[in-house]
Amino acid sequence: MVCFRLFPVPGSGLVLVCLVLGAVQSYALELNLTDSGKATCLYAKWQMNFTVRYETTNKTYKTVTISDRGTVTYNGSICGDDQNGPKIAVQFGPGFSWIANFSKAASTYSIDSISFSYNTGDNTTFPDAEDKGIITVDELLAIKIPLNDLFRCNSLSTLEKNDVVQNYWDVLVQAFVQNGTVSTNEFLCDEDKTSTVAPTIHTTVPSPTTTPTPKEKPEAGTYSVNNGNETCLLATMGLQLNITQDKVASVININPNTTHSTGSCRSHTALLRLNSSTIKYLDFVFAVKNENRFYLKEVNVSMYLVNGSVFSIANNNLSYWDAPLGSSYMCNKEQTVSVSGAFQINTFDLRVQPFNVTQGKYSTAQECSLDDDTILIPIIVGAGLSGLIIVIVIAYIIGRRKSYAGYQTL
């Protein structure tokens, strides 16, 4: 835990805010809103990030992911009254804000809408934006939840509108808390009902050694993401995770037979999310660059280690698996994606196509340099010629010495 802070929210008593930080850029927001009697009236805990596509001053387009929110405030969050429903209001960065509105019926309450505002005048996030100013994107949801239930959605939920992609996961919310006590009855989103997301926490104490046990080559799994009835993303790969925490290194092979895949496909971004009983999420985020190529831009992971602790890492500034749009990327040999000093992913028998999949099949592959054996031909020829030259030179020197010795005898 990094901090606990108590501060007033107009008309709503005190708010307890706790930011739970992961290793890099990956943390949850948690809000416990109390009324004037200091009883909890609204509880929420969730994770989110945003991907924004914007036009630059040289008339090209760039995509930026907003996940590191820095200092967060909750000014304007309210429990609600007879005239206004509950509201969560979040402010972060220079000119960024997020609002969720709720309403109540006889036996249900609803998440009515979400509003996200971002500031293209922020030169750190949008250094070369053509248009500067505050831009707001509104989304109507109307998600109905039984009145006394806590809404849970661990699975990824994605909203897209006006060049903005909003990603939400690990969501817990109860907008109308009864008698100041958050409910233990959970109402699951549809995605959680169709996938196993509840973690199984192992209690075995890890070995104190700092050297990981060598692992055999992981089994390759095939994963896909659908957009409606059509496949929009294909991936085949064996995955081996290298994790270092508290100076203890471990190697984990992902079993594709017990791993579930979800995700989303957009015009300029695509997401493949893997989860299992021990992996909360392992995200591979792809992006388009220069309107003609794709690459792996971001990897996020949150998982349970053998001692029950949670390991979380995120990096949205990667550049791997680069290939032309309309093709797939392939690398059969072992390749390492270095997410951070504490987390690397070894891939085996890799093939991925996050855009322009037709008829559910891979397009022509661009092979990685590790697979390109054509470079061996000139190396072999050059080595052979070098060896031949050396033999000739040695033979010449020996011949000269023999001739010189013969002249001395005469």
Side-chain angles (χ1 to χ4, degrees), residues 49-83:
N49 65 27
F50 311 92
T51 300
V52 179
R53 181 173 179 260
Y54 68 97
E55 185 178 8
T56 66
T57 52
N58 60 4
K59 304 304 180 183
T60 60
Y61 286 87
K62 286 186 177 180
T63 300
V64 61
T65 299
I66 303 167
S67 57
D68 186 359
R69 292 174 289 274
T71 301
V72 176
T73 58
Y74 294 81
N75 298 324
S77 299
I78 59 173
C79 294
D81 50 34
D82 294 337
Q83 286 76 37

PDB file of all heavy atoms in Angstrom, residues 49-83:
ATOM      1  N   ASN A  49      -7.557   1.658 -18.355  1.00  0.00           N
ATOM      2  CA  ASN A  49      -6.622   2.465 -19.137  1.00  0.00           C
ATOM      3  C   ASN A  49      -7.313   2.918 -20.414  1.00  0.00           C
ATOM      4  O   ASN A  49      -8.414   2.443 -20.745  1.00  0.00           O
ATOM      5  CB  ASN A  49      -5.300   1.745 -19.415  1.00  0.00           C
ATOM      6  CG  ASN A  49      -5.453   0.513 -20.288  1.00  0.00           C
ATOM      7  OD1 ASN A  49      -6.371   0.397 -21.095  1.00  0.00           O
ATOM      8  ND2 ASN A  49      -4.553  -0.446 -20.123  1.00  0.00           N
ATOM      9  N   PHE A  50      -6.701   3.834 -21.131  1.00  0.00           N
ATOM     10  CA  PHE A  50      -7.319   4.454 -22.294  1.00  0.00           C
ATOM     11  C   PHE A  50      -6.303   4.522 -23.430  1.00  0.00           C
ATOM     12  O   PHE A  50      -5.129   4.812 -23.208  1.00  0.00           O
ATOM     13  CB  PHE A  50      -7.798   5.873 -21.960  1.00  0.00           C
ATOM     14  CG  PHE A  50      -8.612   5.959 -20.700  1.00  0.00           C
ATOM     15  CD1 PHE A  50      -8.011   6.232 -19.484  1.00  0.00           C
ATOM     16  CD2 PHE A  50      -9.976   5.736 -20.724  1.00  0.00           C
ATOM     17  CE1 PHE A  50      -8.750   6.302 -18.313  1.00  0.00           C
ATOM     18  CE2 PHE A  50     -10.723   5.796 -19.562  1.00  0.00           C
ATOM     19  CZ  PHE A  50     -10.112   6.084 -18.357  1.00  0.00           C
ATOM     20  N   THR A  51      -6.772   4.253 -24.621  1.00  0.00           N
ATOM     21  CA  THR A  51      -5.947   4.398 -25.814  1.00  0.00           C
ATOM     22  C   THR A  51      -6.593   5.448 -26.708  1.00  0.00           C
ATOM     23  O   THR A  51      -7.777   5.320 -27.057  1.00  0.00           O
ATOM     24  CB  THR A  51      -5.822   3.071 -26.574  1.00  0.00           C
ATOM     25  OG1 THR A  51      -5.219   2.097 -25.713  1.00  0.00           O
ATOM     26  CG2 THR A  51      -4.949   3.234 -27.814  1.00  0.00           C
ATOM     27  N   VAL A  52      -5.829   6.473 -27.065  1.00  0.00           N
ATOM     28  CA  VAL A  52      -6.352   7.597 -27.841  1.00  0.00           C
ATOM     29  C   VAL A  52      -5.561   7.734 -29.139  1.00  0.00           C
ATOM     30  O   VAL A  52      -4.323   7.747 -29.124  1.00  0.00           O
ATOM     31  CB  VAL A  52      -6.264   8.912 -27.043  1.00  0.00           C
ATOM     32  CG1 VAL A  52      -6.781  10.077 -27.873  1.00  0.00           C
ATOM     33  CG2 VAL A  52      -7.049   8.799 -25.739  1.00  0.00           C
ATOM     34  N   ARG A  53      -6.266   7.817 -30.227  1.00  0.00           N
ATOM     35  CA  ARG A  53      -5.659   8.082 -31.542  1.00  0.00           C
ATOM     36  C   ARG A  53      -5.889   9.550 -31.882  1.00  0.00           C
ATOM     37  O   ARG A  53      -7.021  10.046 -31.809  1.00  0.00           O
ATOM     38  CB  ARG A  53      -6.278   7.182 -32.608  1.00  0.00           C
ATOM     39  CG  ARG A  53      -5.699   7.350 -34.016  1.00  0.00           C
ATOM     40  CD  ARG A  53      -6.274   6.286 -34.942  1.00  0.00           C
ATOM     41  NE  ARG A  53      -5.777   6.406 -36.309  1.00  0.00           N
ATOM     42  CZ  ARG A  53      -6.449   6.971 -37.301  1.00  0.00           C
ATOM     43  NH1 ARG A  53      -7.672   7.460 -37.077  1.00  0.00           N
ATOM     44  NH2 ARG A  53      -5.927   7.040 -38.504  1.00  0.00           N
ATOM     45  N   TYR A  54      -4.803  10.252 -32.243  1.00  0.00           N
ATOM     46  CA  TYR A  54      -4.935  11.679 -32.497  1.00  0.00           C
ATOM     47  C   TYR A  54      -4.107  12.084 -33.719  1.00  0.00           C
ATOM     48  O   TYR A  54      -3.148  11.413 -34.102  1.00  0.00           O
ATOM     49  CB  TYR A  54      -4.504  12.480 -31.270  1.00  0.00           C
ATOM     50  CG  TYR A  54      -3.021  12.407 -30.946  1.00  0.00           C
ATOM     51  CD1 TYR A  54      -2.142  13.412 -31.360  1.00  0.00           C
ATOM     52  CD2 TYR A  54      -2.497  11.336 -30.227  1.00  0.00           C
ATOM     53  CE1 TYR A  54      -0.789  13.350 -31.062  1.00  0.00           C
ATOM     54  CE2 TYR A  54      -1.151  11.267 -29.921  1.00  0.00           C
ATOM     55  CZ  TYR A  54      -0.307  12.276 -30.347  1.00  0.00           C
ATOM     56  OH  TYR A  54       1.036  12.196 -30.066  1.00  0.00           O
ATOM     57  N   GLU A  55      -4.489  13.222 -34.311  1.00  0.00           N
ATOM     58  CA  GLU A  55      -3.788  13.742 -35.482  1.00  0.00           C
ATOM     59  C   GLU A  55      -2.639  14.643 -35.030  1.00  0.00           C
ATOM     60  O   GLU A  55      -2.788  15.452 -34.114  1.00  0.00           O
ATOM     61  CB  GLU A  55      -4.743  14.533 -36.368  1.00  0.00           C
ATOM     62  CG  GLU A  55      -4.111  15.000 -37.683  1.00  0.00           C
ATOM     63  CD  GLU A  55      -5.089  15.745 -38.569  1.00  0.00           C
ATOM     64  OE1 GLU A  55      -6.216  16.021 -38.097  1.00  0.00           O
ATOM     65  OE2 GLU A  55      -4.741  16.060 -39.714  1.00  0.00           O
ATOM     66  N   THR A  56      -1.484  14.497 -35.704  1.00  0.00           N
ATOM     67  CA  THR A  56      -0.308  15.275 -35.353  1.00  0.00           C
ATOM     68  C   THR A  56      -0.193  16.506 -36.252  1.00  0.00           C
ATOM     69  O   THR A  56      -0.945  16.667 -37.218  1.00  0.00           O
ATOM     70  CB  THR A  56       0.963  14.426 -35.490  1.00  0.00           C
ATOM     71  OG1 THR A  56       1.165  14.104 -36.876  1.00  0.00           O
ATOM     72  CG2 THR A  56       0.839  13.141 -34.690  1.00  0.00           C
ATOM     73  N   THR A  57       0.764  17.349 -35.932  1.00  0.00           N
ATOM     74  CA  THR A  57       0.961  18.583 -36.698  1.00  0.00           C
ATOM     75  C   THR A  57       1.431  18.316 -38.127  1.00  0.00           C
ATOM     76  O   THR A  57       1.270  19.179 -38.990  1.00  0.00           O
ATOM     77  CB  THR A  57       1.996  19.476 -35.985  1.00  0.00           C
ATOM     78  OG1 THR A  57       3.177  18.708 -35.714  1.00  0.00           O
ATOM     79  CG2 THR A  57       1.441  20.001 -34.666  1.00  0.00           C
ATOM     80  N   ASN A  58       2.011  17.141 -38.377  1.00  0.00           N
ATOM     81  CA  ASN A  58       2.433  16.830 -39.758  1.00  0.00           C
ATOM     82  C   ASN A  58       1.412  15.962 -40.483  1.00  0.00           C
ATOM     83  O   ASN A  58       1.735  15.277 -41.442  1.00  0.00           O
ATOM     84  CB  ASN A  58       3.805  16.155 -39.762  1.00  0.00           C
ATOM     85  CG  ASN A  58       3.812  14.862 -38.977  1.00  0.00           C
ATOM     86  OD1 ASN A  58       2.770  14.427 -38.476  1.00  0.00           O
ATOM     87  ND2 ASN A  58       4.970  14.251 -38.853  1.00  0.00           N
ATOM     88  N   LYS A  59       0.159  15.989 -39.989  1.00  0.00           N
ATOM     89  CA  LYS A  59      -0.985  15.343 -40.642  1.00  0.00           C
ATOM     90  C   LYS A  59      -0.916  13.817 -40.644  1.00  0.00           C
ATOM     91  O   LYS A  59      -1.582  13.165 -41.453  1.00  0.00           O
ATOM     92  CB  LYS A  59      -1.138  15.852 -42.084  1.00  0.00           C
ATOM     93  CG  LYS A  59      -1.272  17.368 -42.204  1.00  0.00           C
ATOM     94  CD  LYS A  59      -2.448  17.887 -41.370  1.00  0.00           C
ATOM     95  CE  LYS A  59      -2.580  19.409 -41.480  1.00  0.00           C
ATOM     96  NZ  LYS A  59      -3.678  19.934 -40.618  1.00  0.00           N
ATOM     97  N   THR A  60      -0.147  13.237 -39.761  1.00  0.00           N
ATOM     98  CA  THR A  60      -0.182  11.790 -39.558  1.00  0.00           C
ATOM     99  C   THR A  60      -0.937  11.509 -38.255  1.00  0.00           C
ATOM    100  O   THR A  60      -1.337  12.443 -37.554  1.00  0.00           O
ATOM    101  CB  THR A  60       1.233  11.205 -39.474  1.00  0.00           C
ATOM    102  OG1 THR A  60       1.928  11.810 -38.369  1.00  0.00           O
ATOM    103  CG2 THR A  60       2.012  11.465 -40.759  1.00  0.00           C
ATOM    104  N   TYR A  61      -1.132  10.227 -37.968  1.00  0.00           N
ATOM    105  CA  TYR A  61      -1.868   9.861 -36.759  1.00  0.00           C
ATOM    106  C   TYR A  61      -0.979   9.038 -35.832  1.00  0.00           C
ATOM    107  O   TYR A  61      -0.193   8.199 -36.278  1.00  0.00           O
ATOM    108  CB  TYR A  61      -3.128   9.073 -37.112  1.00  0.00           C
ATOM    109  CG  TYR A  61      -4.220   9.937 -37.695  1.00  0.00           C
ATOM    110  CD1 TYR A  61      -4.270  10.202 -39.056  1.00  0.00           C
ATOM    111  CD2 TYR A  61      -5.189  10.511 -36.870  1.00  0.00           C
ATOM    112  CE1 TYR A  61      -5.269  11.006 -39.597  1.00  0.00           C
ATOM    113  CE2 TYR A  61      -6.194  11.314 -37.399  1.00  0.00           C
ATOM    114  CZ  TYR A  61      -6.229  11.559 -38.758  1.00  0.00           C
ATOM    115  OH  TYR A  61      -7.198  12.364 -39.286  1.00  0.00           O
ATOM    116  N   LYS A  62      -1.129   9.294 -34.555  1.00  0.00           N
ATOM    117  CA  LYS A  62      -0.415   8.529 -33.533  1.00  0.00           C
ATOM    118  C   LYS A  62      -1.420   7.964 -32.524  1.00  0.00           C
ATOM    119  O   LYS A  62      -2.531   8.469 -32.381  1.00  0.00           O
ATOM    120  CB  LYS A  62       0.604   9.400 -32.790  1.00  0.00           C
ATOM    121  CG  LYS A  62       1.851   9.725 -33.579  1.00  0.00           C
ATOM    122  CD  LYS A  62       2.863  10.471 -32.714  1.00  0.00           C
ATOM    123  CE  LYS A  62       4.150  10.749 -33.452  1.00  0.00           C
ATOM    124  NZ  LYS A  62       5.140  11.463 -32.613  1.00  0.00           N
ATOM    125  N   THR A  63      -0.989   6.906 -31.837  1.00  0.00           N
ATOM    126  CA  THR A  63      -1.804   6.291 -30.801  1.00  0.00           C
ATOM    127  C   THR A  63      -1.038   6.308 -29.486  1.00  0.00           C
ATOM    128  O   THR A  63       0.127   5.923 -29.445  1.00  0.00           O
ATOM    129  CB  THR A  63      -2.169   4.839 -31.167  1.00  0.00           C
ATOM    130  OG1 THR A  63      -2.902   4.842 -32.398  1.00  0.00           O
ATOM    131  CG2 THR A  63      -3.025   4.211 -30.085  1.00  0.00           C
ATOM    132  N   VAL A  64      -1.686   6.764 -28.426  1.00  0.00           N
ATOM    133  CA  VAL A  64      -1.052   6.831 -27.125  1.00  0.00           C
ATOM    134  C   VAL A  64      -1.930   6.097 -26.109  1.00  0.00           C
ATOM    135  O   VAL A  64      -3.161   6.167 -26.170  1.00  0.00           O
ATOM    136  CB  VAL A  64      -0.824   8.297 -26.689  1.00  0.00           C
ATOM    137  CG1 VAL A  64      -2.135   9.053 -26.586  1.00  0.00           C
ATOM    138  CG2 VAL A  64      -0.068   8.371 -25.373  1.00  0.00           C
ATOM    139  N   THR A  65      -1.291   5.357 -25.202  1.00  0.00           N
ATOM    140  CA  THR A  65      -2.009   4.657 -24.139  1.00  0.00           C
ATOM    141  C   THR A  65      -1.824   5.406 -22.823  1.00  0.00           C
ATOM    142  O   THR A  65      -0.698   5.706 -22.429  1.00  0.00           O
ATOM    143  CB  THR A  65      -1.515   3.214 -23.989  1.00  0.00           C
ATOM    144  OG1 THR A  65      -1.744   2.514 -25.209  1.00  0.00           O
ATOM    145  CG2 THR A  65      -2.246   2.499 -22.858  1.00  0.00           C
ATOM    146  N   ILE A  66      -2.929   5.697 -22.163  1.00  0.00           N
ATOM    147  CA  ILE A  66      -2.909   6.433 -20.903  1.00  0.00           C
ATOM    148  C   ILE A  66      -3.204   5.443 -19.785  1.00  0.00           C
ATOM    149  O   ILE A  66      -4.339   4.996 -19.615  1.00  0.00           O
ATOM    150  CB  ILE A  66      -3.952   7.566 -20.903  1.00  0.00           C
ATOM    151  CG1 ILE A  66      -3.700   8.511 -22.086  1.00  0.00           C
ATOM    152  CG2 ILE A  66      -3.927   8.342 -19.588  1.00  0.00           C
ATOM    153  CD1 ILE A  66      -4.842   9.461 -22.352  1.00  0.00           C
ATOM    154  N   SER A  67      -2.167   5.057 -19.049  1.00  0.00           N
ATOM    155  CA  SER A  67      -2.344   4.091 -17.968  1.00  0.00           C
ATOM    156  C   SER A  67      -1.721   4.565 -16.659  1.00  0.00           C
ATOM    157  O   SER A  67      -2.146   4.154 -15.587  1.00  0.00           O
ATOM    158  CB  SER A  67      -1.748   2.729 -18.359  1.00  0.00           C
ATOM    159  OG  SER A  67      -0.382   2.850 -18.697  1.00  0.00           O
ATOM    160  N   ASP A  68      -0.698   5.404 -16.751  1.00  0.00           N
ATOM    161  CA  ASP A  68      -0.063   5.942 -15.547  1.00  0.00           C
ATOM    162  C   ASP A  68      -0.742   7.262 -15.203  1.00  0.00           C
ATOM    163  O   ASP A  68      -0.495   8.284 -15.841  1.00  0.00           O
ATOM    164  CB  ASP A  68       1.427   6.143 -15.795  1.00  0.00           C
ATOM    165  CG  ASP A  68       2.166   6.563 -14.535  1.00  0.00           C
ATOM    166  OD1 ASP A  68       1.508   6.717 -13.488  1.00  0.00           O
ATOM    167  OD2 ASP A  68       3.397   6.727 -14.604  1.00  0.00           O
ATOM    168  N   ARG A  69      -1.617   7.243 -14.192  1.00  0.00           N
ATOM    169  CA  ARG A  69      -2.449   8.404 -13.916  1.00  0.00           C
ATOM    170  C   ARG A  69      -1.825   9.390 -12.929  1.00  0.00           C
ATOM    171  O   ARG A  69      -2.356  10.465 -12.710  1.00  0.00           O
ATOM    172  CB  ARG A  69      -3.818   7.934 -13.393  1.00  0.00           C
ATOM    173  CG  ARG A  69      -4.628   7.218 -14.458  1.00  0.00           C
ATOM    174  CD  ARG A  69      -5.910   6.644 -13.877  1.00  0.00           C
ATOM    175  NE  ARG A  69      -5.637   5.506 -13.011  1.00  0.00           N
ATOM    176  CZ  ARG A  69      -5.511   4.259 -13.455  1.00  0.00           C
ATOM    177  NH1 ARG A  69      -5.615   4.005 -14.745  1.00  0.00           N
ATOM    178  NH2 ARG A  69      -5.273   3.265 -12.623  1.00  0.00           N
ATOM    179  N   GLY A  70      -0.721   9.013 -12.305  1.00  0.00           N
ATOM    180  CA  GLY A  70      -0.097   9.929 -11.361  1.00  0.00           C
ATOM    181  C   GLY A  70      -0.990  10.171 -10.152  1.00  0.00           C
ATOM    182  O   GLY A  70      -1.636   9.269  -9.630  1.00  0.00           O
ATOM    183  N   THR A  71      -1.062  11.430  -9.718  1.00  0.00           N
ATOM    184  CA  THR A  71      -1.896  11.790  -8.565  1.00  0.00           C
ATOM    185  C   THR A  71      -3.361  11.791  -8.969  1.00  0.00           C
ATOM    186  O   THR A  71      -3.746  12.406  -9.959  1.00  0.00           O
ATOM    187  CB  THR A  71      -1.495  13.164  -8.026  1.00  0.00           C
ATOM    188  OG1 THR A  71      -0.121  13.135  -7.652  1.00  0.00           O
ATOM    189  CG2 THR A  71      -2.336  13.530  -6.810  1.00  0.00           C
ATOM    190  N   VAL A  72      -4.195  11.102  -8.183  1.00  0.00           N
ATOM    191  CA  VAL A  72      -5.623  10.963  -8.478  1.00  0.00           C
ATOM    192  C   VAL A  72      -6.434  11.630  -7.384  1.00  0.00           C
ATOM    193  O   VAL A  72      -6.143  11.492  -6.190  1.00  0.00           O
ATOM    194  CB  VAL A  72      -6.019   9.474  -8.588  1.00  0.00           C
ATOM    195  CG1 VAL A  72      -7.519   9.316  -8.807  1.00  0.00           C
ATOM    196  CG2 VAL A  72      -5.248   8.805  -9.719  1.00  0.00           C
ATOM    197  N   THR A  73      -7.484  12.380  -7.768  1.00  0.00           N
ATOM    198  CA  THR A  73      -8.443  12.941  -6.812  1.00  0.00           C
ATOM    199  C   THR A  73      -9.849  12.494  -7.198  1.00  0.00           C
ATOM    200  O   THR A  73     -10.082  12.043  -8.324  1.00  0.00           O
ATOM    201  CB  THR A  73      -8.374  14.480  -6.791  1.00  0.00           C
ATOM    202  OG1 THR A  73      -8.643  14.974  -8.107  1.00  0.00           O
ATOM    203  CG2 THR A  73      -6.993  14.948  -6.351  1.00  0.00           C
ATOM    204  N   TYR A  74     -10.777  12.630  -6.245  1.00  0.00           N
ATOM    205  CA  TYR A  74     -12.158  12.160  -6.440  1.00  0.00           C
ATOM    206  C   TYR A  74     -13.162  13.276  -6.169  1.00  0.00           C
ATOM    207  O   TYR A  74     -14.282  13.026  -5.734  1.00  0.00           O
ATOM    208  CB  TYR A  74     -12.435  10.970  -5.520  1.00  0.00           C
ATOM    209  CG  TYR A  74     -11.636   9.739  -5.860  1.00  0.00           C
ATOM    210  CD1 TYR A  74     -10.314   9.596  -5.448  1.00  0.00           C
ATOM    211  CD2 TYR A  74     -12.194   8.694  -6.585  1.00  0.00           C
ATOM    212  CE1 TYR A  74      -9.572   8.476  -5.749  1.00  0.00           C
ATOM    213  CE2 TYR A  74     -11.467   7.557  -6.897  1.00  0.00           C
ATOM    214  CZ  TYR A  74     -10.160   7.459  -6.469  1.00  0.00           C
ATOM    215  OH  TYR A  74      -9.430   6.329  -6.781  1.00  0.00           O
ATOM    216  N   ASN A  75     -12.779  14.501  -6.440  1.00  0.00           N
ATOM    217  CA  ASN A  75     -13.649  15.641  -6.181  1.00  0.00           C
ATOM    218  C   ASN A  75     -14.913  15.550  -7.035  1.00  0.00           C
ATOM    219  O   ASN A  75     -14.849  15.331  -8.245  1.00  0.00           O
ATOM    220  CB  ASN A  75     -12.914  16.949  -6.485  1.00  0.00           C
ATOM    221  CG  ASN A  75     -11.694  17.129  -5.606  1.00  0.00           C
ATOM    222  OD1 ASN A  75     -11.704  16.743  -4.447  1.00  0.00           O
ATOM    223  ND2 ASN A  75     -10.631  17.700  -6.168  1.00  0.00           N
ATOM    224  N   GLY A  76     -16.058  15.740  -6.402  1.00  0.00           N
ATOM    225  CA  GLY A  76     -17.331  15.670  -7.116  1.00  0.00           C
ATOM    226  C   GLY A  76     -18.038  14.339  -6.983  1.00  0.00           C
ATOM    227  O   GLY A  76     -19.168  14.191  -7.456  1.00  0.00           O
ATOM    228  N   SER A  77     -17.395  13.342  -6.358  1.00  0.00           N
ATOM    229  CA  SER A  77     -18.055  12.059  -6.113  1.00  0.00           C
ATOM    230  C   SER A  77     -19.121  12.246  -5.043  1.00  0.00           C
ATOM    231  O   SER A  77     -18.878  12.888  -4.016  1.00  0.00           O
ATOM    232  CB  SER A  77     -17.038  11.010  -5.664  1.00  0.00           C
ATOM    233  OG  SER A  77     -16.064  10.794  -6.661  1.00  0.00           O
ATOM    234  N   ILE A  78     -20.327  11.683  -5.272  1.00  0.00           N
ATOM    235  CA  ILE A  78     -21.430  11.879  -4.331  1.00  0.00           C
ATOM    236  C   ILE A  78     -22.187  10.570  -4.114  1.00  0.00           C
ATOM    237  O   ILE A  78     -22.183   9.684  -4.969  1.00  0.00           O
ATOM    238  CB  ILE A  78     -22.413  12.960  -4.825  1.00  0.00           C
ATOM    239  CG1 ILE A  78     -22.998  12.580  -6.191  1.00  0.00           C
ATOM    240  CG2 ILE A  78     -21.730  14.317  -4.889  1.00  0.00           C
ATOM    241  CD1 ILE A  78     -24.093  13.513  -6.662  1.00  0.00           C
ATOM    242  N   CYS A  79     -22.826  10.487  -2.960  1.00  0.00           N
ATOM    243  CA  CYS A  79     -23.663   9.328  -2.660  1.00  0.00           C
ATOM    244  C   CYS A  79     -25.000   9.387  -3.391  1.00  0.00           C
ATOM    245  O   CYS A  79     -25.620   8.354  -3.652  1.00  0.00           O
ATOM    246  CB  CYS A  79     -23.939   9.253  -1.160  1.00  0.00           C
ATOM    247  SG  CYS A  79     -22.481   8.916  -0.160  1.00  0.00           S
ATOM    248  N   GLY A  80     -25.457  10.587  -3.708  1.00  0.00           N
ATOM    249  CA  GLY A  80     -26.749  10.761  -4.355  1.00  0.00           C
ATOM    250  C   GLY A  80     -27.825  11.149  -3.362  1.00  0.00           C
ATOM    251  O   GLY A  80     -27.695  10.954  -2.144  1.00  0.00           O
ATOM    252  N   ASP A  81     -28.911  11.734  -3.905  1.00  0.00           N
ATOM    253  CA  ASP A  81     -30.043  12.130  -3.075  1.00  0.00           C
ATOM    254  C   ASP A  81     -31.317  11.970  -3.899  1.00  0.00           C
ATOM    255  O   ASP A  81     -31.321  11.273  -4.921  1.00  0.00           O
ATOM    256  CB  ASP A  81     -29.877  13.566  -2.563  1.00  0.00           C
ATOM    257  CG  ASP A  81     -29.543  14.547  -3.689  1.00  0.00           C
ATOM    258  OD1 ASP A  81     -30.043  14.328  -4.825  1.00  0.00           O
ATOM    259  OD2 ASP A  81     -28.799  15.499  -3.451  1.00  0.00           O
ATOM    260  N   ASP A  82     -32.373  12.619  -3.459  1.00  0.00           N
ATOM    261  CA  ASP A  82     -33.657  12.480  -4.157  1.00  0.00           C
ATOM    262  C   ASP A  82     -33.623  13.081  -5.563  1.00  0.00           C
ATOM    263  O   ASP A  82     -34.381  12.669  -6.447  1.00  0.00           O
ATOM    264  CB  ASP A  82     -34.775  13.139  -3.345  1.00  0.00           C
ATOM    265  CG  ASP A  82     -35.028  12.418  -2.029  1.00  0.00           C
ATOM    266  OD1 ASP A  82     -34.682  11.213  -1.956  1.00  0.00           O
ATOM    267  OD2 ASP A  82     -35.545  13.054  -1.097  1.00  0.00           O
ATOM    268  N   GLN A  83     -32.756  14.047  -5.788  1.00  0.00           N
ATOM    269  CA  GLN A  83     -32.693  14.697  -7.099  1.00  0.00           C
ATOM    270  C   GLN A  83     -31.579  14.150  -7.988  1.00  0.00           C
ATOM    271  O   GLN A  83     -31.702  14.125  -9.207  1.00  0.00           O
ATOM    272  CB  GLN A  83     -32.477  16.212  -6.935  1.00  0.00           C
ATOM    273  CG  GLN A  83     -33.690  16.978  -6.457  1.00  0.00           C
ATOM    274  CD  GLN A  83     -33.957  16.790  -4.976  1.00  0.00           C
ATOM    275  OE1 GLN A  83     -33.015  16.699  -4.183  1.00  0.00           O
ATOM    276  NE2 GLN A  83     -35.227  16.711  -4.615  1.00  0.00           N
TER     277      GLN A  83
END
